[in-house]
Amino acid sequence: MMDYPYRNASLSADERARDLLSRMNLEEKIAQLGAVWSYELLEEDGTFSEDKAKELLKNGIGQVTRPGGATNFEPKNVAKFVNKIQRFLMEETRLGIPAMMHEESLAGYMGLAATNFPQPIAMASTWDPELIGKMTAAIREDVRSIGITHCLAPVLDVARDPRWGRTEETFGEAPYLIASMGVEYVKNLQGDDPETGVVATAKHFVGYSASEGGKNWAPTNIPERELREVFLYPFEAAVKRAGLLSIMNSYSEIDGIPCASSRNLLTDILRNEWGFDGIVVSDYFAVNMLREYHRIAKDKAEAAKYALEAGIDIELPKTDCYSSLKELVEKGDISIKTLDEAVYRVLKIKFLLGLFDKPYVPEERVPDFKHVGLAEEIARKSVILLKNDRLLPLSRNTKVAVIGPHANDVRNLLGDYSYLTHITTLLQNMNEDAFNAPKFNLRHVEDVVNAHLKSIPTIVDQLKGTFAEVNYAKGCDVTGNSKEGFEEAVKVAKKSDVIILTVGDKSGLTVDCTTGESRDSATLKLPGVQEELILEIQKLNKPIVLVLITGRPYSLKNVIDKVNAIVQLWLPGEGGPKALAEVLVGETNPGGKLPISYPRSVGQIPLFHYVKPSGGRSHWHGSYADEESKPLFSFGYGLSYTQFNYSGFSISQHDEDGTIDVSVIVENVGKMTGDEVVQLYVGRENGTVTRPLKELRGFKRVTLKPGEKRKISFEIEPEVLSYYDRNMELVVEPGIYKFMIGSSCDDIKFTGEIELKGKRVIKDRKTFFTKVRDE
């Protein structure tokens, strides 16, 4: 075996994969297209089981699902466990093919001892892609050190309906902002060298976030032009600009075709049009859903045929329907060519990752997974000041009452794909036959999780070290109808100068959660009796700072006039308490901007900034009969403790290539150092198809001291302005284009126009982003 070419490290990944494929029997090939839950390889005492490995891994395996996230192992024990799995595969199987180990990394590695970063909706609020790249570089180093080579992130869904529970997992509503964040996420997670990098997975391909009624797993009905220009755009950018190596299908359907069975999406567009050269993995249980949920397949074998022929290479989280592939091939229902293409793609990725040559990780060199400073920096930059009636910042001598269900509960600061929330879902399902899991010592798991929660400071803890006097009352729970805590909250509020009122969500996947996967909202009303708590406290006529710890924008129309300041913290992770404390006293000047429009009422949904000429209003009066049509807070909005002035606007066009230059000078004319996000919007009229009046096409976050000014220049290549014409050709049409500079989509400072001459047909889009110069 040592003489086989696939063992020769000097050959290319392509050559090695093709040689190995030629030596595999049918069972070994099929094994590479499946997975096994990590805990299926453990004895009940948590030790690696040779007997179970001999049963489950005898022909090899494509992937092992969550060796850390599904076992409750600390990082060093994850490394040991991974090495034992790889050693078995390398030494006890015929061809010695190592496995890819995958984990979740939405807001940090989803395992014990890892840093809990803010949720992606908060990351997007920083408008700082490079900062998010620093985070994923840290995640890469952490997980690669324990043998993890594949992560199921980022989410590139375009959030169009905040009723959808997974809004918190997205980078917001703007395809351009999502693409900018996503490209940096992918580039830095995968790194410059695959042998030290981690495969990123863009999900959910595609349109998952635009479901009927905001309901999870519901159908999506998206016209082709909108699908390509809005929902596919971030994925295309990740493939072409970041070298994305993995894609995961959406659970939903588009026009009657479940995405897991769509050859048009997973092969024609992804591979044939875009040149994607990675692997496609199924979302968990998505292949069987073709039978059980969508009901297009009569049995698991037909579901497997649909999925494989569409382009899904690996079934996750464990081999289920794909166990039928052997019979399908032998009967001639699936061609061996189709099977071999998928197996080749999986093998090639494994060779690129260097798994055959370095299958083991040094167990003694597992680093400390804590990146608290980075988590705090992201949380700090994500804070958005939505309202401030001259109340903030507060003096440190202020006596404050800290009230609300989030004030003293770290659990409620975390998003749905953090380990300390997600493990609850796994534990609740482990006793179900579908998960085929051993009976873990649940008390031990809960003890370990609680110990990690206690290591993170609460908001109350943080504020006690910030203000002269801090009094606390819970007031109410996130959910439920009990108002028993109102009386104590009022007593505490009466003793204080200012009330810090924390309200919002409990994120997760279980029924007690209010946001997260499958936790959708019909009303966009703050859960439980939290709105009633706000109204009760405001009767005291004392200053109130409302702190929103949410996974989605909620309707605030009943309370917005009852409070003096509103701070949007989203789900900030473990850096949230410190970031909040700094903002409240002015140590940090809030500079975050909304990545999603804030509705007044649920009836305004869908609500987004890039409306067409006929959109965003009810002709001819403009508003609804019973509600404004405008958002409560617009996309890109966010206040500051200082003031910024815009001047020196200029716009010009290069004669040689048509590139457009737009520049502006921004100056801090206030008394505090602060951050401003300069935003570029583009619109046009009189095209062959209707175009948005303004859509984001560039941005830059800058930090300015009092009196400091900076020139921000945008260089827009015509290809960035392309769209699909009446013939569904990607083109840059001739005509007048409008370029707008502002501090939000509804706060435009300057507007200029440029005429582009001559139609340009784009056969293979390469340019997605505007170049920005900060001078």
Side-chain angles (χ1 to χ4, degrees):
M1 188 166 67
M2 291 301 295
D3 295 329
Y4 291 160
Y6 79 85
R7 289 286 181 183
N8 184 347
S10 67
L11 296 179
S12 69
D14 171 74
E15 292 171 308
R16 297 175 77 181
R18 294 194 184 282
D19 176 71
L20 176 54
L21 180 64
S22 71
R23 303 178 190 284
M24 298 171 72
N25 61 40
L26 185 56
E27 289 84 357
E28 290 165 336
K29 291 178 180 179
I30 292 168
Q32 291 301 308
L33 305 186
V36 60
W37 274 105
S38 53
Y39 51 67
E40 293 183 272
L41 300 171
L42 296 174
E43 300 289 359
E44 288 198 17
D45 63 0
T47 59
F48 178 72
S49 173
E50 289 278 345
D51 290 338
K52 291 180 179 180
K54 288 176 182 176
E55 175 189 353
L56 297 170
L57 305 181
K58 60 186 176 184
N59 292 311
I61 199 72
Q63 297 230 358
V64 176
T65 295
R66 291 162 55 189
T71 63
N72 206 49
F73 286 159
E74 299 276 357
K76 287 187 178 179
N77 289 329
V78 175
K80 292 176 182 178
F81 180 37
V82 166
N83 281 347
K84 287 177 180 178
I85 297 172
Q86 298 290 36
R87 188 165 286 110
F88 181 90
L89 291 168
M90 297 296 290
E91 297 177 3
E92 302 296 330
T93 62
R94 186 176 76 91
L95 293 171
I97 305 174
M100 291 177 69
M101 310 281 169
H102 80 254
E103 292 283 0
E104 300 281 0
S105 69
L106 180 77
Y109 159 58
M110 203 174 76
L112 277 179
T115 301
N116 295 279
F117 292 101
Q119 277 290 82
I121 194 70
M123 296 179 199
S125 300
T126 70
W127 292 62
D128 191 343
E130 291 78 15
L131 179 59
I132 306 312
K134 290 180 183 178
M135 179 195 75
T136 54
I139 295 170
R140 179 188 75 236
E141 293 175 4
D142 286 347
V143 300
R144 190 75 198 225
S145 75
I146 57 174
I148 307 304
T149 50
H150 186 190
C151 283
L152 305 184
V155 170
L156 299 185
D157 292 304
V158 178
R160 293 282 287 268
D161 190 335
R163 291 176 297 179
W164 187 55
R166 302 190 79 169
T167 296
E168 66 180 69
E169 298 179 36
T170 76
F171 292 124
E173 74 179 38
Y176 187 93
L177 179 60
I178 297 164
S180 301
M181 291 287 177
V183 164
E184 287 299 314
Y185 192 112
V186 171
K187 280 169 59 178
N188 287 277
L189 186 62
Q190 294 189 166
D192 297 327
D193 181 359
E195 293 195 8
T196 57
V198 175
V199 171
T201 304
K203 59 186 189 184
H204 306 83
F205 199 69
V206 64
Y208 184 28
S209 53
S211 58
E212 292 178 351
K215 296 185 287 288
N216 200 45
W217 292 11
T220 54
N221 300 291
I222 308 171
E224 185 181 3
R225 181 175 290 101
E226 187 175 27
L227 181 70
R228 286 181 175 269
E229 291 182 352
V230 175
F231 295 94
L232 286 173
Y233 182 89
F235 291 93
E236 186 180 1
V239 169
K240 294 182 176 179
R241 301 301 301 164
L244 180 72
L245 291 173
S246 177
I247 286 270
M248 176 181 281
N249 71 279
S250 165
Y251 282 127
S252 60
E253 65 173 75
I254 299 177
D255 194 24
I257 309 296
C259 294
S261 67
S262 175
R263 185 170 178 83
N264 177 56
L265 286 175
L266 301 177
T267 298
D268 295 342
I269 293 176
L270 182 60
R271 295 193 185 280
N272 298 341
E273 287 189 29
W274 297 353
F276 175 70
D277 196 29
I279 54 173
V280 177
V281 299
S282 80
D283 206 339
Y284 283 15
F285 314 108
V287 179
N288 188 49
M289 281 173 58
L290 297 175
R291 172 190 71 89
E292 190 176 70
Y293 191 75
H294 294 294
R295 303 181 189 178
I296 63 169
K298 63 178 180 293
D299 53 28
K300 292 189 176 186
E302 189 170 31
K305 176 178 168 63
Y306 267 122
L308 187 70
E309 291 185 337
I312 291 181
D313 299 312
I314 298 181
E315 181 182 20
L316 297 180
K318 61 176 290 183
T319 308
D320 180 18
C321 298
Y322 274 19
S323 61
S324 304
L325 291 177
K326 183 174 185 292
E327 180 184 1
L328 288 168
V329 171
E330 289 175 341
K331 290 170 58 179
D333 290 339
I334 287 180
S335 71
I336 191 66
K337 181 177 182 292
T338 298
L339 184 79
D340 283 354
E341 286 174 349
V343 177
Y344 162 76
R345 291 192 286 260
V346 172
L347 295 176
K348 184 179 177 182
I349 291 288
K350 290 184 176 184
F351 281 114
L352 286 172
L353 289 167
L355 287 174
F356 285 82
D357 309 311
K358 295 180 181 179
Y360 312 117
V361 293
E363 297 170 11
E364 71 283 356
R365 295 213 307 265
V366 175
D368 180 358
F369 276 38
K370 301 308 288 182
H371 304 282
V372 178
L374 184 55
E376 290 172 351
E377 184 181 1
I378 296 172
R380 189 179 295 122
K381 283 195 165 185
S382 73
V383 177
I384 305 170
L385 186 61
L386 295 177
K387 179 180 180 180
N388 189 22
D389 289 343
R390 303 183 195 176
L391 176 61
L392 297 178
L394 301 172
S395 165
R396 290 180 180 270
N397 294 324
T398 306
K399 295 179 182 179
V400 300
V402 186
I403 296 171
H406 299 76
N408 203 36
D409 192 339
V410 170
R411 165 64 181 80
N412 290 342
L413 305 179
L414 308 178
D416 64 342
Y417 270 72
S418 61
Y419 180 73
L420 302 179
T421 59
H422 207 81
I423 190 64
T424 309
T425 305
L426 191 59
L427 293 178
Q428 287 188 3
N429 286 286
M430 274 185 168
N431 293 325
E432 296 184 6
D433 292 339
F435 274 71
N436 191 29
K439 306 298 185 288
F440 280 162
N441 183 336
L442 301 188
R443 179 176 296 277
H444 170 68
V445 173
E446 290 168 359
D447 288 345
V448 173
V449 168
N450 288 332
H452 279 267
L453 283 171
K454 289 177 180 178
S455 71
I456 302 171
T458 66
I459 288 174
V460 170
D461 292 337
Q462 195 72 49
L463 295 187
K464 282 181 177 178
T466 304
F467 291 103
E469 183 178 318
V470 174
N471 300 298
Y472 161 71
K474 185 175 183 180
C476 66
D477 291 320
V478 173
T479 58
N481 297 317
S482 175
K483 300 180 182 179
E484 291 180 4
F486 281 25
E487 183 178 352
E488 178 64 21
V490 169
K491 287 180 181 179
V492 165
K494 285 180 177 179
K495 295 188 296 185
S496 305
D497 301 324
V498 175
I499 300 150
I500 312 298
L501 193 49
T502 65
V503 298
D505 282 312
K506 179 179 181 180
S507 177
L509 282 68
T510 50
V511 293
D512 60 325
C513 295
T514 62
T515 182
E517 187 171 358
S518 193
R519 306 311 299 142
D520 311 314
S521 172
T523 67
L524 291 185
K525 178 182 180 292
L526 284 169
V529 293
Q530 295 180 84
E531 187 172 294
E532 288 86 339
L533 176 63
I534 298 169
L535 297 175
E536 185 69 22
I537 296 295
Q538 67 89 28
K539 292 177 183 177
L540 300 175
N541 290 319
K542 290 201 169 192
I544 297 175
V545 179
L546 188 65
V547 180
L548 299 170
I549 303 173
T550 64
R552 57 165 67 89
Y554 279 102
S555 172
L556 302 176
K557 68 175 183 177
N558 294 331
V559 299
I560 188 171
D561 294 330
K562 312 297 184 184
V563 299
N564 303 85
I566 302 176
V567 176
Q568 179 73 61
L569 207 60
W570 300 114
L571 295 161
E574 61 189 87
K578 186 173 183 181
L580 175 62
E582 291 176 356
V583 164
L584 291 177
V585 297
E587 185 178 334
T588 291
N589 190 345
K593 300 279 189 174
L594 284 175
I596 187 170
S597 301
Y598 227 102
R600 298 174 186 272
S601 301
V602 70
Q604 292 179 305
I605 304 302
L607 185 71
F608 47 90
H609 79 276
Y610 46 95
V611 296
K612 299 291 186 68
S614 62
R617 61 198 170 102
S618 172
H619 188 72
W620 59 92
H621 290 296
S623 294
Y624 296 99
D626 52 359
E627 184 65 274
E628 288 281 339
S629 58
K630 299 291 186 182
L632 183 63
F633 300 113
S634 59
F635 174 81
Y637 172 85
L639 300 175
S640 173
Y641 295 153
T642 191
Q643 299 81 42
F644 299 97
N645 182 64
Y646 285 70
S647 64
F649 176 79
S650 70
I651 184 168
S652 61
Q653 184 177 18
H654 299 185
D655 293 334
E656 61 275 12
D657 60 2
T659 297
I660 298 134
D661 285 326
V662 179
S663 65
V664 72
I665 295 171
V666 59
E667 180 181 5
N668 183 345
V669 295
K671 297 179 180 179
M672 287 183 65
T673 296
D675 286 12
E676 173 67 322
V677 180
V678 181
Q679 301 164 39
L680 170 71
Y681 295 89
V682 176
R684 76 150 305 179
E685 301 172 19
N686 309 124
T688 61
V689 294
T690 60
R691 298 300 304 153
L693 294 173
K694 63 180 82 159
E695 57 181 331
L696 186 71
R697 276 295 179 265
F699 61 89
K700 179 62 178 179
R701 181 169 182 153
V702 292
T703 302
L704 297 173
K705 298 176 182 178
E708 184 180 6
K709 61 178 65 174
R710 201 82 57 82
K711 183 179 180 181
I712 306 299
S713 299
F714 298 96
E715 185 180 300
I716 309 111
E717 295 182 32
E719 192 168 330
V720 173
L721 306 174
S722 61
Y723 52 84
Y724 287 86
D725 67 7
R726 287 195 171 213
N727 300 317
M728 286 306 297
E729 271 193 316
L730 184 63
V731 300
V732 181
E733 288 192 319
I736 302 293
Y737 289 76
K738 185 181 294 184
F739 298 86
M740 295 155 276
I741 292 282
S743 64
S744 80
C745 75
D746 282 344
D747 186 10
I748 299 301
K749 309 294 186 180
F750 294 102
T751 299
E753 294 182 346
I754 289 289
E755 182 177 5
L756 296 183
K757 300 181 183 296
K759 179 178 176 180
R760 305 183 187 202
V761 178
I762 311 297
K763 294 299 184 184
D764 181 14
R765 175 160 47 191
K766 298 293 186 184
T767 305
F768 293 83
F769 303 116
T770 296
K771 296 177 183 177
V772 185
R773 297 191 306 276
D774 180 1
E775 303 166 332

